[in-house]
Amino acid sequence: SSTGLASIGFISTVFEYFAFIEAKSGVIMAHYSATEENNRVVSDISNIKSLKINGENVVFDWDYSFSEIGEYDVEIELIDPTFIEAETFCGTCLTSINIPDSVTTIGSNAFAECTSLPVEDNLRYADTYLVETVDKSSSAYTIKEGTKWIGTCAFQYCINLTSVVIPDSVTSIEFGAFDGCSGLNEITCNAITAPMIHQYTFTAVAKNGILKVPAGSDYSSWMSTDDYYLGKYNWTVEYI
C-alpha cells in the first residue's frame, strides 16, 4: 500500500540520517588564520584520514601548511574518531575548533603553542579542552562550564595559584596539569564522578590542602599516598 511504502521510505530516511551523523562523528571543523609568521595546518597526521580546505579536498603530508596568507575553514576527518593524536595541532595557526562528541581521548600537547586560540579569564581553550593558563600570576581560577579536559601541563608551575574550581563537565585531567603548583591548597571539583587523573597531575602541590567535592561522590582515586596524588601531600576531603 501507499502507506506502507511511505513508512518504508521514512524508515530508510531515518537510517540514512543516522548513518550520516555517525559518519560525521569523527570530523573536526576548524578555522585558521594563516600569516607570514605561521601558516601551519597540522603537525601530526598519523590519525588524519582526509583534509578539506574551504570545501576542497587536498593532498597533505607532515607539517602541512597553507600556501597563502588568509582565513580558512578546514574539515578534518579522523581515522579513529575517538582519538586526537598527540601534537596534532601543535604550533599551528588554529583559531577555533569543534571537537566532535566521538572524541574520548586527546594526546599530550595536541594544542600546545596554538597562541591564536581564544582566551577566557586568562585561560586558553580549544573548544572543550583547556589548553593552558596565559597568566601564571593569578591566585584563583574558575574553569568554564562545558570543559571536558584540563590539558597537559595546563597550570604547570603556577606558583601563585592557591585555589581552582573545576566544573562537573570535566572528565579528564591530563599529564602534569597542576605540576609544581606549590601554593595550591584548595580544589573544588563539582563532578559526581571523579575525573580521571594522569601521571604528575598534582606533583608538588601545597601540603594539608582541602579537596571539596559533592556529597555522595567518591574521590578515593585522587587520594592515594603514591606520587602525584593528593594523599601524598596530606590533603583531606570536604563534602559540599
Side-chain angles (χ1 to χ4, degrees):
S1 68
S2 59
T3 302
L5 290 174
S7 297
I8 293 171
F10 172 77
I11 293 169
S12 177
T13 300
V14 169
F15 275 114
E16 288 175 2
Y17 171 76
F18 282 107
F20 171 77
I21 295 298
E22 180 64 24
K24 301 295 283 187
S25 66
V27 174
I28 294 171
M29 305 303 296
H31 186 81
Y32 293 78
S33 183
T35 65
E36 290 185 359
E37 292 76 25
N38 189 349
N39 63 346
R40 293 173 65 190
V41 183
V42 288
S43 296
D44 188 298
I45 63 170
S46 56
N47 192 39
I48 295 178
K49 182 177 182 180
S50 66
L51 278 180
K52 284 185 180 180
I53 297 178
N54 292 340
E56 299 292 330
N57 287 305
V58 297
V59 178
F60 58 95
D61 53 14
W62 293 89
D63 290 323
Y64 184 74
S65 300
F66 297 110
S67 59
E68 298 180 357
I69 295 171
E71 303 295 317
Y72 296 92
D73 290 315
V74 179
E75 183 177 308
I76 303 160
E77 184 179 2
L78 302 174
I79 298 170
D80 179 349
T82 68
F83 185 56
I84 295 178
E85 180 64 71
E87 300 187 5
T88 295
F89 299 99
C90 180
T92 65
C93 58
L94 182 70
T95 60
S96 67
I97 187 169
N98 184 293
I99 299 173
D101 290 341
S102 61
V103 172
T104 57
T105 305
I106 296 178
S108 61
N109 298 315
F111 302 101
E113 301 175 35
C114 291
T115 57
S116 295
L117 285 170
V119 174
E120 293 184 36
D121 297 328
N122 291 318
L123 297 174
R124 192 184 313 281
Y125 292 91
D127 195 19
T128 53
Y129 186 96
L130 194 167
V131 180
E132 62 182 348
T133 172
V134 297
D135 180 5
K136 291 184 179 290
S137 66
S138 294
S139 62
Y141 282 103
T142 297
I143 297 168
K144 74 175 183 178
E145 294 289 337
T147 301
K148 292 183 179 180
W149 295 272
I150 299 176
T152 307
C153 302
F155 294 93
Q156 189 176 46
Y157 302 134
C158 288
I159 59 174
N160 294 317
L161 180 64
T162 59
S163 66
V164 63
V165 178
I166 300 171
D168 60 5
S169 53
V170 169
T171 59
S172 182
I173 303 177
E174 303 299 313
F175 179 96
F178 295 98
D179 175 35
C181 295
S182 55
L184 180 60
N185 59 23
E186 182 178 303
I187 298 172
T188 300
C189 190
N190 292 312
I192 290 291
T193 301
M196 182 182 297
I197 59 175
H198 296 75
Q199 197 170 24
Y200 305 117
T201 296
F202 299 116
T203 304
V205 295
K207 293 182 178 180
N208 304 312
I210 299 174
L211 173 63
K212 297 181 178 181
V213 299
S217 60
D218 179 6
Y219 276 72
S220 57
S221 60
W222 289 28
M223 301 306 293
S224 167
T225 55
D226 292 339
D227 287 345
Y228 63 83
Y229 293 98
L230 294 177
K232 180 179 177 64
Y233 304 100
N234 299 313
W235 279 50
T236 57
V237 176
E238 178 181 314
Y239 294 100
I240 54 176

